[in-house]
Amino acid sequence: MSIRKPVIGVMGPGKTELHTEPVEKHVELATELGKQIASHGWFLLTGGRNLGVMDAACRGAKSAGGTTIGILPGPDALDSSDAIDIPIITGMGSARNNVNALSSTVLIAVGMGPGTAAEVALALKARKPVVLLATQPEAEKFFTSLDASLVHVASDVESAIVHVKALLAAQSEATS
Amino acid sequence: MSIRKPVIGVMGPGKTELHTEPVEKHVELATELGKQIASHGWFLLTGGRNLGVMDAACRGAKSAGGTTIGILPGPDALDSSDAIDIPIITGMGSARNNVNALSSTVLIAVGMGPGTAAEVALALKARKPVVLLATQPEAEKFFTSLDASLVHVASDVESAIVHVKALLAAQSEATS
Amino acid sequence: MSIRKPVIGVMGPGKTELHTEPVEKHVELATELGKQIASHGWFLLTGGRNLGVMDAACRGAKSAGGTTIGILPGPDALDSSDAIDIPIITGMGSARNNVNALSSTVLIAVGMGPGTAAEVALALKARKPVVLLATQPEAEKFFTSLDASLVHVASDVESAIVHVKALLAAQSEATS
Amino acid sequence: MSIRKPVIGVMGPGKTELHTEPVEKHVELATELGKQIASHGWFLLTGGRNLGVMDAACRGAKSAGGTTIGILPGPDALDSSDAIDIPIITGMGSARNNVNALSSTVLIAVGMGPGTAAEVALALKARKPVVLLATQPEAEKFFTSLDASLVHVASDVESAIVHVKALLAAQSEATS
């Protein structure tokens, strides 16, 4: 197991959740984040749909030669992002958000919405480290109040990647 | 379906999540809330375990002659509250939090922790109304920022029940 | 827990699965079985939809004053049987078949189809007793080959109920 | 989506289910099957644990340079096969068997037990083609009685692979 590649989860709103804020910012960040994840040789895991942050992260990862895993909520792959290599079809709706949380070595939220909030909360429940990238201050304060030891805040992709590296190094040390 | 009794979900931390805040307050509130739910002739639905808020709410409901449903995370009923009439055994861990959210006509959070936060977020994702009872200001601000139209804040049991009645009346009107 | 009412699961094809065999026979058996379950003071648990065996069993139970629980596969209760008192909304499709299996003290299959076969198999996996009522010989032979100690065959409702009583008595003895 | 690699599911008993029959035969078949799946450039998906058929198939696939995906039932990867590249951690027990069924383009059962039977039944429920390799005659007769159009019987690895190729070709034609 020591040579298994880390699985980095990138979560964030689909277009349908982004009522009030500019989608372009989070889509740009997610694209760059996906590229960086692939460049570091990590697997990228997302919610798999052809929307918003999850689609953008996968496209970024593919542009850098990465491998992408999509945990789909529906009963088939019809709404899957084209940039998913491995569609996992759960048919369990938003209960699949817990699969996203459990399967990610580190979970990064890019922006925020109800589904993303559930994924962050389920990650904390499972004692998984979380990086909040460009989320609103209310989200940072709330999740930090739930568990300050597991929540890390980043304002750009570079610092998000620095957090991931440190978290992977700490975990590797803990299990060796 | 018009004569089916409403199912009111009461979510809140088990003992293991209450690191920093007094458990007694939330347990007292949950007990009284369970009583009131039973007195109004509604079903009570909780996470079912013999811990914290979920156990207290069920004990309150049983003391007032109510019927209690527990959506258990484990593969058997061994950790079920004795005050559960109907144990639903999911064996799916925290993914069962989505069953709690979907099965509740209105969901009330008493206190807050990672599991409760996931339930509130999943309820909002499914467009279900939520009442936050005695949760910290960070939680109120965050969930209101996600969807102000679905989130209602209450500081005591009486006002939580007022919210539930109004929400049930509005829903009944919408479907009639 | 000793005074909790047993939950008897009744599984069977919806109309959509009954390609080749007469639906009337299984619907009649399920109706009578539901009545008997209610008369014995047990809870009835089904897949909850307004179709075939699950609907018929619930109607039978309600006609005898019973309480019915439906574990629904969809994200809402729109396709629920009117004869369900307590709809549990899972939103997890056929993965909810495992909730049916785990939540039933004894599981009775009336007729057979792919979904029912999954429920029987999942019950056996969880070491739950199963009664096959009016299933085809191929089903009886197959499930008996998987675990003869847990599979009981009945050709009419009366003998199915005799099996349930004996299984509940054996379980009560084992846990007392 | 047209260039996405097919995901071939291989299901079969873990050691704990193999009470009465020689495990060696199914382990040998699963190892060879995993090799063949990898040689054809397909992804291998299994239940992921370090036991019986699922472990053997993954080891076979890795020996031929393949990529392996494990859909794990537990809340972590502690019981994962070392030959899994991508562990998907579901934490949902046997409800994950439906994820196995939905995520497999074709599902192959090697040997039989209650968990494997659930996977085959759930695949048929979702209208997925199934190949039964070296299962007992009772299983072949039963599943064929459920849906003869989706169930294919093979007695050796070579004929199982012939079935998979034909099923993939038929599917490719249907979607092009």
Side-chain angles (χ1 to χ4, degrees):
Chain A
M1 304 235 326
S2 55
I3 56 164
R4 202 178 274 165
K5 285 189 198 179
V7 176
I8 307 302
V10 174
M11 310 292 141
K15 279 170 199 161
T16 51
E17 288 183 299
L18 287 168
H19 306 300
T20 57
E21 50 185 327
V23 66
E24 292 78 7
K25 175 185 155 197
H26 294 120
V27 162
E28 275 173 34
L29 286 168
T31 307
E32 177 60 23
L33 186 61
K35 271 187 213 172
Q36 289 291 326
I37 286 168
S39 300
H40 283 82
W42 305 323
F43 288 125
L44 172 65
L45 182 147
T46 76
R49 292 194 296 153
N50 54 353
L51 284 174
V53 161
M54 39 193 152
D55 183 52
C58 292
R59 292 189 183 283
K62 291 310 298 175
S63 77
T67 298
T68 55
I69 306 155
I71 311 292
L72 291 160
D76 53 46
L78 293 180
D79 65 349
S80 170
S81 165
D82 287 344
I84 288 291
D85 294 312
I86 303 175
I88 303 296
I89 302 172
T90 70
M92 61 196 285
S94 295
R96 75 84 153 78
N97 293 18
N98 196 47
V99 180
N100 295 351
L102 295 176
S103 301
S104 298
T105 315
V106 178
L107 187 143
I108 307 174
V110 185
M112 189 56 59
T116 310
E119 281 149 343
V120 171
L122 290 164
L124 298 180
K125 177 77 179 169
R127 313 284 317 143
K128 295 268 184 179
V130 168
V131 178
L132 301 178
L133 172 55
T135 60
Q136 74 269 47
E138 292 91 339
E140 298 173 8
K141 282 177 194 157
F142 173 60
F143 288 117
T144 302
S145 81
L146 285 185
D147 197 327
S149 70
L150 290 171
V151 175
H152 307 269
V153 173
S155 54
D156 56 26
V157 170
E158 194 183 345
S159 76
I161 294 290
V162 168
H163 279 300
V164 173
K165 279 185 187 170
L167 290 163
L168 293 177
Q171 191 186 61
S172 168
E173 210 163 281
T175 58
S176 69
Chain B
M1 302 234 328
S2 55
I3 56 163
R4 202 178 272 165
K5 287 189 197 177
V7 175
I8 308 302
V10 174
M11 310 293 141
K15 279 172 201 158
T16 49
E17 288 183 299
L18 288 168
H19 306 300
T20 56
E21 49 185 328
V23 66
E24 292 79 8
K25 175 185 156 197
H26 293 119
V27 161
E28 275 172 34
L29 285 168
T31 307
E32 177 59 23
L33 186 60
K35 272 187 211 173
Q36 290 292 326
I37 286 168
S39 300
H40 282 81
W42 305 324
F43 289 126
L44 172 66
L45 182 148
T46 75
R49 291 195 297 153
N50 54 353
L51 284 174
V53 161
M54 40 193 152
D55 184 51
C58 292
R59 292 189 183 284
K62 290 311 296 173
S63 77
T67 299
T68 55
I69 306 155
I71 311 291
L72 291 160
D76 54 46
L78 293 180
D79 66 348
S80 169
S81 165
D82 286 344
I84 288 291
D85 293 312
I86 303 175
I88 303 296
I89 303 172
T90 71
M92 61 195 286
S94 295
R96 75 83 153 81
N97 293 20
N98 196 45
V99 181
N100 295 350
L102 295 176
S103 301
S104 298
T105 316
V106 178
L107 188 143
I108 308 173
V110 185
M112 191 53 61
T116 309
E119 281 149 344
V120 170
L122 290 164
L124 298 181
K125 177 78 179 168
R127 312 286 314 145
K128 295 269 183 178
V130 168
V131 178
L132 301 178
L133 172 55
T135 60
Q136 74 270 45
E138 293 91 339
E140 299 173 6
K141 282 177 193 158
F142 173 60
F143 288 116
T144 302
S145 80
L146 285 184
D147 196 328
S149 70
L150 290 171
V151 175
H152 307 270
V153 173
S155 54
D156 55 29
V157 171
E158 194 182 346
S159 76
I161 293 290
V162 169
H163 278 301
V164 173
K165 280 184 186 171
L167 291 162
L168 293 177
Q171 193 186 61
S172 168
E173 211 162 283
T175 59
S176 69
Chain C
M1 304 237 326
S2 54
I3 56 164
R4 201 177 274 164
K5 285 190 198 178
V7 175
I8 308 302
V10 174
M11 309 294 141
K15 279 172 199 158
T16 50
E17 288 183 299
L18 287 169
H19 306 300
T20 56
E21 49 185 326
V23 66
E24 292 79 7
K25 173 185 156 196
H26 293 118
V27 162
E28 276 172 35
L29 285 168
T31 307
E32 177 60 23
L33 186 61
K35 272 188 212 172
Q36 289 291 326
I37 286 168
S39 300
H40 283 81
W42 305 325
F43 288 126
L44 172 65
L45 183 148
T46 75
R49 291 195 297 153
N50 54 354
L51 284 174
V53 161
M54 39 194 152
D55 184 51
C58 292
R59 293 188 183 283
K62 291 311 297 174
S63 76
T67 298
T68 54
I69 306 155
I71 310 292
L72 291 159
D76 53 45
L78 293 180
D79 65 348
S80 169
S81 166
D82 287 344
I84 288 291
D85 293 311
I86 303 174
I88 303 297
I89 302 173
T90 71
M92 61 196 284
S94 295
R96 75 84 153 80
N97 293 19
N98 197 45
V99 181
N100 295 351
L102 295 176
S103 300
S104 299
T105 316
V106 177
L107 189 144
I108 308 175
V110 185
M112 188 57 58
T116 310
E119 283 150 342
V120 170
L122 290 164
L124 298 180
K125 177 76 179 169
R127 313 285 315 145
K128 295 269 184 178
V130 169
V131 178
L132 302 178
L133 172 55
T135 60
Q136 74 270 45
E138 292 91 338
E140 298 174 8
K141 281 177 194 157
F142 172 60
F143 288 117
T144 302
S145 81
L146 285 184
D147 197 327
S149 70
L150 291 170
V151 176
H152 307 269
V153 174
S155 53
D156 55 29
V157 171
E158 193 183 347
S159 76
I161 293 291
V162 169
H163 278 301
V164 173
K165 280 185 185 170
L167 290 163
L168 293 177
Q171 192 186 59
S172 167
E173 210 162 283
T175 59
S176 68
Chain D
M1 303 236 330
S2 55
I3 57 164
R4 202 177 273 163
K5 286 189 199 179
V7 175
I8 308 301
V10 173
M11 309 293 141
K15 278 172 200 159
T16 49
E17 288 183 298
L18 287 168
H19 305 300
T20 57
E21 50 185 327
V23 66
E24 292 79 8
K25 174 185 157 197
H26 293 119
V27 162
E28 276 173 33
L29 285 169
T31 307
E32 177 59 23
L33 186 60
K35 271 188 214 174
Q36 289 292 326
I37 286 169
S39 300
H40 283 80
W42 305 324
F43 288 125
L44 172 65
L45 182 148
T46 75
R49 292 195 296 152
N50 55 353
L51 284 174
V53 160
M54 41 194 151
D55 184 52
C58 292
R59 293 188 182 283
K62 291 311 296 174
S63 77
T67 298
T68 55
I69 306 155
I71 311 292
L72 291 160
D76 54 45
L78 293 179
D79 65 348
S80 169
S81 165
D82 287 344
I84 289 290
D85 293 311
I86 303 175
I88 304 297
I89 303 173
T90 71
M92 62 195 284
S94 295
R96 76 80 153 82
N97 292 20
N98 197 45
V99 181
N100 295 350
L102 295 176
S103 301
S104 298
T105 315
V106 178
L107 188 143
I108 309 174
V110 185
M112 190 54 60
T116 309
E119 282 149 342
V120 170
L122 290 163
L124 298 181
K125 176 79 179 166
R127 315 284 315 145
K128 294 271 185 177
V130 169
V131 178
L132 301 178
L133 172 54
T135 59
Q136 73 269 45
E138 292 91 340
E140 298 173 7
K141 282 177 193 158
F142 173 61
F143 288 117
T144 303
S145 81
L146 286 185
D147 197 327
S149 70
L150 291 170
V151 175
H152 306 269
V153 173
S155 54
D156 56 29
V157 170
E158 193 183 347
S159 76
I161 293 292
V162 168
H163 278 301
V164 173
K165 280 185 186 172
L167 291 163
L168 293 177
Q171 192 185 62
S172 169
E173 211 162 282
T175 60
S176 70

